[in-house]
Structure formats: structure tokens, C-alpha cells
Amino acid sequence: MNNLFIIALFTYQYFYHHKKWYLSVFIIGAVFQTIALILIGNRNHLSFFYSVQISNLFLISSFALTSFGLLSFDGKLRKKTLWLFGIFTILFYSSFLAVGNDNALRITIQIIASSFFYGIGAFYLFINKGKYKFPIILSIVLSSYSIFQVIRASVIILHSGQSYDFMEGSAIDNCYLIISLFAISASSIGLIMLLKEIDQKTILQKNAIIQKDKLELEELNATKDKLFSIIGHDLRSPFNGIMGFLELLLENIKKFEAEKSEKYLKLTYLSAKNTFNLLDNLLNWANSQTKQVYCNPQKLILSSIIQGIIDLSISNTKIKDIKLHYSQSEIIEVNADENMLTLILRNLISNAIKFSKKGGNIKISTNVTPRLAEISISDDGVGMTKETLEKLFDISKNTTSCGTENEKGFGLGLILCKEFVEKQGGNIWVDSELGKGSDFKFTLPLYSVCL
């Protein structure tokens, strides 16, 4: 009756709660054991073939199936263990047939088979417990049962000279019946509790995924709002400024002196260049949000990349009469993506120019640690408050700021710098004080470390 209840319980679990393959294996094992017990119980009405040989085929198979079902609670199909169980099922049954009518030896083979399969099951449950606690309980139950079976086999072997009949009800066999009932019940309850524990862990994991998706959705919404803000306002304003300057020049080209015309042309050029940088940042940022930016690190001479960006920035520094200082101390080879590094340096140098006053100074320096190259871009410009520093690299909190010559800020450059530095295995940070300037620093891995 106990077995029938277990079969009914786990069949219900399989069809209505946990349709897992290992649960069906456990159920088949319980069915095989029930068939074996029915055949053995009717031995007075059945032939030797059915009551002994066939019943023990089902019994030995049930040991293997129930144990394999239990140890597979994590859903992994352990093919090597499956082959091992299959081979030993055949070996145990062949040994059983080979001993003929020796009842004591047949029982001993049954005991060794159950100890072997449940012992392996206990071992696998323990080593693969993961974050669950009920596999440990199941492992203890199966281990205890296996140890008792070994003791029982030893008693039978010691009395091998005497005739043995399990149904006579010796003390050790009576203990076996009680312990078997306890082991079956405890294993069934343990498996039910394990399934419940797995459900709870699954729910927690799903909740964590939902929470993660929620945060990503919030970030995407912030990204969308930022994108619409840039396209709708920040991108329109520079074009209005460029068109306004050009219109003013066209209308007054004969009235303006060369010096005044040059002034407006410089302003137009500066506005056009800033707008181009914005478009470039916007394109890179959009690509990064859609996972279309790929990092291809290679050996780069850091001074060559820095000097290239300085050469491109000379016109901007001349407009504001800013001195840009850079002296190469040594040849530093970094493992970085050239396009990403170029964008990082361009944005940080442009940012320093933007917030520097006329006649200001910008210093670019490099330093080497055992594993990283550190690049610093510092200025003596307007600096930042602590509140601004806290939201500098957060797109959902980032706000635009105008430069010392009313240059427009778009808030994307530093966001991209942080993302691209981290993609290359580095870090970025800033030290700044209001009215005293800012010092942006970032690190990149040395090429020699990545070999």
C-alpha cells in the first residue's frame, strides 16, 4: 500500500506540477518495485520463474531506476552514470541467476545491488547539492540505508551454513522491513520537499530576472528620452546657430570688416565642429545601445593616438587661446580598440577645451603601473560641484552644460567614454573642484600583460 500511495503521489506531481523526466524515472522505479513485491508475495501461487527470477529482475531494476531518478534532481542527464547503472543491473541479475537455488546468496546479491545503487545515489546527491538543503537529507537517508544493508549482508554471510528464508522473520530482517519503510517514506518526503525547494529557487530566479528586466527597461526609457531630447532640441539649436551666423554674413558680407567676418566664421566653424562631434557621439551611442559596437583590442602606441587627437584639436584651442601641453615620457603600448580610444580621447580633450577659459591650460600626461597605463587630461577651467560629479556618468541623471564661450553640451560624450573604457577592461574617474578645474583619468591594459 505504501508503494501504491507513492506511485499515485508522484504521478500527480508529474502531471500537475513538475513534468520532469527524472520524476518519471523515479515513478517507473517505484512501479517495478511494486510489481516485484506482488510477485514475491504470491510465490506460493506462482512458478519459480515468476516469483523469483522475474520478480528480482524488476527489483534490481527498481533500485537502479529510483536511485538514478533521485540523483538527477538537477535535470542533468549523466550518461556515464546511466551506462554504469545499466551494466551493473545486468551484472547483478546475471549473478543472481548464476547462484541457482541458494537462497542466502540470492538475498545477498539483492542487498549488495541495493547498497551499490543507493550508495552512488547518495554520493551524487551530496556532491551536486548546490544551493539546496534537501539533497543532503536524501543523501543521509540513502547512505544510512546502504550501510544497514551492508551490515545485513554480513549477518547473512556469517550464517551462510544455515538455511535462510526471509519470510521466517529473523531479527535483522524485521529491522530491515522497518528501516526500508522508513527509507522509502523519508526518500519520498525528501523528494517532495526538494521539488518544492527547486520551485522556490526558480521563483526567486524569475523574480530576479524580472527585476533586472525592469531596471533595463527603465534605462531604455531614460535612453529614449535622452535621444528624443537631443534630436528635438540639442541637435536643432546648433544648426539654427550655424544658419544664423551664415545668414548674417551673407546679408552683411560687404559691410563687415575682415576681422568681424573672421570672428563669425570662427564661431560658425566651432558650432559646426561641435555639431559634427555630437552626431558622431550620437551614432556611437545608438550603436552601443543596440549592441552593435564591437571591441577589437590590438597593440597601439599610446603617444601616436594622443598626438593625432591633439593635432585635430589645435584649431579649437587657437580659437580660445588655450595652451595644450603634452610631452611623451616613454613609449607605452596598450591593448585597446583604436576607434574606441580615439573617441575617448577626443571627447575628454574637447570637454577640457569647452570648460577652459580663454588663455587657459590643458595638460595631458601618461603613467604606467605594472598592469595598466593611466592617461590624465587635466584643465584649469571652471571645475564641477560634488552634485555634478555624482551624476556625471549616469545618463538618467546627466544634464547638459554650456562651456565658457557658451558652447553647447549634450551629455553623451562622457557616457560613451565610461562605456568604452570599461569595454576595454579599464576604469575612468574624475577629480574636480568648482573654480579650480578638472582632472579626468582613465586606465587601459598594457599590451605586454595581455600576451
Side-chain angles (χ1 to χ4, degrees), residues 6 10 103 210 268 278 319 373 406 447:
I6 290 169
F10 283 103
N103 201 27
I210 291 168
T268 304
L278 167 66
I319 290 170
N406 207 35
Y447 182 73

Side-chain angles (χ1 to χ4, degrees), residues 115-165:
S115 297
F116 173 80
F117 290 122
Y118 290 139
I120 290 178
F123 173 75
Y124 270 98
L125 281 164
F126 184 79
I127 64 170
N128 296 296
K129 58 186 181 296
K131 297 178 180 178
Y132 303 108
K133 60 177 178 286
F134 280 99
I136 300 174
I137 296 171
L138 282 169
S139 178
I140 292 169
V141 170
L142 293 178
S143 299
S144 302
Y145 181 72
S146 299
I147 291 167
F148 173 76
Q149 285 283 62
V150 170
I151 294 169
R152 181 172 168 240
S154 301
V155 172
I156 293 171
I157 292 168
L158 286 172
H159 296 84
S160 58
Q162 305 172 17
S163 62
Y164 176 81
D165 187 355

Side-chain angles (χ1 to χ4, degrees), residues 257-321:
E257 296 177 359
E259 187 178 340
K260 197 169 186 179
S261 295
E262 185 181 359
K263 176 186 174 182
Y264 281 115
L265 282 171
K266 283 181 178 179
L267 289 170
T268 304
Y269 168 76
L270 187 61
S271 183
K273 191 164 186 178
N274 286 337
T275 306
F276 172 78
N277 287 340
L278 167 66
L279 285 169
D280 191 41
N281 282 340
L282 188 60
L283 178 62
N284 282 295
W285 178 67
N287 286 337
S288 72
Q289 298 306 301
T290 53
K291 314 297 182 188
Q292 293 182 21
V293 172
Y294 303 101
C295 183
N296 299 305
Q298 56 183 301
K299 182 173 77 171
L300 298 174
I301 306 298
L302 188 57
S303 57
S304 299
I305 306 296
I306 293 173
Q307 192 59 55
I309 301 300
I310 289 172
D311 293 342
L312 291 173
S313 305
I314 289 297
S315 55
N316 284 0
T317 57
K318 283 183 177 178
I319 290 170
K320 296 181 75 172
D321 192 26

Side-chain angles (χ1 to χ4, degrees), residues 3 179 196 209 256 269 280 357 363:
N3 274 40
I179 291 173
K196 186 178 179 181
I209 292 169
F256 285 165
Y269 168 76
D280 191 41
K357 298 172 184 177
K363 182 182 178 182

Side-chain angles (χ1 to χ4, degrees), residues 122-411:
F123 173 75
Y124 270 98
L125 281 164
F126 184 79
I127 64 170
N128 296 296
K129 58 186 181 296
K131 297 178 180 178
Y132 303 108
K133 60 177 178 286
F134 280 99
I136 300 174
I137 296 171
L138 282 169
S139 178
I140 292 169
V141 170
L142 293 178
S143 299
S144 302
Y145 181 72
S146 299
I147 291 167
F148 173 76
Q149 285 283 62
V150 170
I151 294 169
R152 181 172 168 240
S154 301
V155 172
I156 293 171
I157 292 168
L158 286 172
H159 296 84
S160 58
Q162 305 172 17
S163 62
Y164 176 81
D165 187 355
F166 172 73
M167 302 309 291
E168 288 180 357
S170 65
I172 190 74
D173 288 331
N174 288 334
C175 289
Y176 163 69
L177 290 172
I178 295 167
I179 291 173
S180 293
L181 183 62
F182 167 77
I184 292 167
S185 301
S187 297
S188 301
I189 294 168
L191 183 54
I192 291 290
M193 296 307 293
L194 176 57
L195 293 172
K196 186 178 179 181
E197 190 178 12
I198 290 170
D199 283 346
Q200 289 173 343
K201 295 284 185 184
T202 304
I203 290 168
L204 289 173
Q205 288 172 356
K206 286 182 178 179
N207 286 340
I209 292 169
I210 291 168
Q211 187 64 26
K212 183 183 174 184
D213 290 343
K214 181 185 174 184
L215 292 173
E216 287 180 356
L217 186 60
E218 288 174 355
E219 288 177 6
L220 285 172
N221 280 332
T223 300
K224 178 201 67 177
D225 293 341
K226 189 73 176 177
L227 181 62
F228 287 155
S229 171
I230 292 165
I231 294 172
H233 177 265
D234 294 339
L235 194 57
R236 183 183 293 176
S237 298
F239 278 112
N240 287 337
I242 291 167
M243 289 188 292
F245 286 134
L246 290 173
E247 187 178 353
L248 190 64
L249 280 170
L250 286 171
E251 289 177 355
N252 300 280
I253 193 166
K254 294 180 180 179
K255 299 177 185 179
F256 285 165
E257 296 177 359
E259 187 178 340
K260 197 169 186 179
S261 295
E262 185 181 359
K263 176 186 174 182
Y264 281 115
L265 282 171
K266 283 181 178 179
L267 289 170
T268 304
Y269 168 76
L270 187 61
S271 183
K273 191 164 186 178
N274 286 337
T275 306
F276 172 78
N277 287 340
L278 167 66
L279 285 169
D280 191 41
N281 282 340
L282 188 60
L283 178 62
N284 282 295
W285 178 67
N287 286 337
S288 72
Q289 298 306 301
T290 53
K291 314 297 182 188
Q292 293 182 21
V293 172
Y294 303 101
C295 183
N296 299 305
Q298 56 183 301
K299 182 173 77 171
L300 298 174
I301 306 298
L302 188 57
S303 57
S304 299
I305 306 296
I306 293 173
Q307 192 59 55
I309 301 300
I310 289 172
D311 293 342
L312 291 173
S313 305
I314 289 297
S315 55
N316 284 0
T317 57
K318 283 183 177 178
I319 290 170
K320 296 181 75 172
D321 192 26
I322 292 169
K323 293 179 178 63
L324 209 160
H325 307 279
Y326 171 63
S327 58
Q328 179 185 337
S329 55
E330 58 180 306
I331 295 175
I332 301 172
E333 295 177 345
V334 294
N335 190 54
D337 182 283
E338 186 172 359
N339 292 329
M340 286 186 177
L341 179 54
T342 299
L343 182 140
I344 293 162
L345 288 167
R346 190 191 72 212
N347 273 291
L348 293 179
I349 292 172
S350 296
N351 204 58
I353 294 169
K354 174 182 167 183
F355 292 104
S356 291
K357 298 172 184 177
K358 280 194 173 183
N361 291 279
I362 296 171
K363 182 182 178 182
I364 301 171
S365 60
T366 56
N367 186 34
V368 177
T369 67
R371 299 183 64 85
L372 298 167
E374 184 180 290
I375 303 96
S376 170
I377 295 100
S378 60
D379 62 69
D380 55 4
V382 296
M384 288 175 279
T385 63
K386 287 183 178 180
E387 290 77 13
T388 303
L389 284 172
E390 287 174 0
K391 56 187 178 182
L392 199 61
F393 296 109
D394 188 343
I395 193 165
S396 61
K397 299 176 182 176
N398 186 270
T399 54
T400 59
S401 303
C402 292
T404 54
E405 293 295 313
N406 207 35
E407 302 101 319
K408 279 286 183 182
F410 309 108

Side-chain angles (χ1 to χ4, degrees), residues 432-443:
S432 184
E433 190 176 342
L434 191 63
K436 294 187 178 180
S438 302
D439 184 8
F440 282 86
K441 294 179 180 179
F442 69 97
T443 57

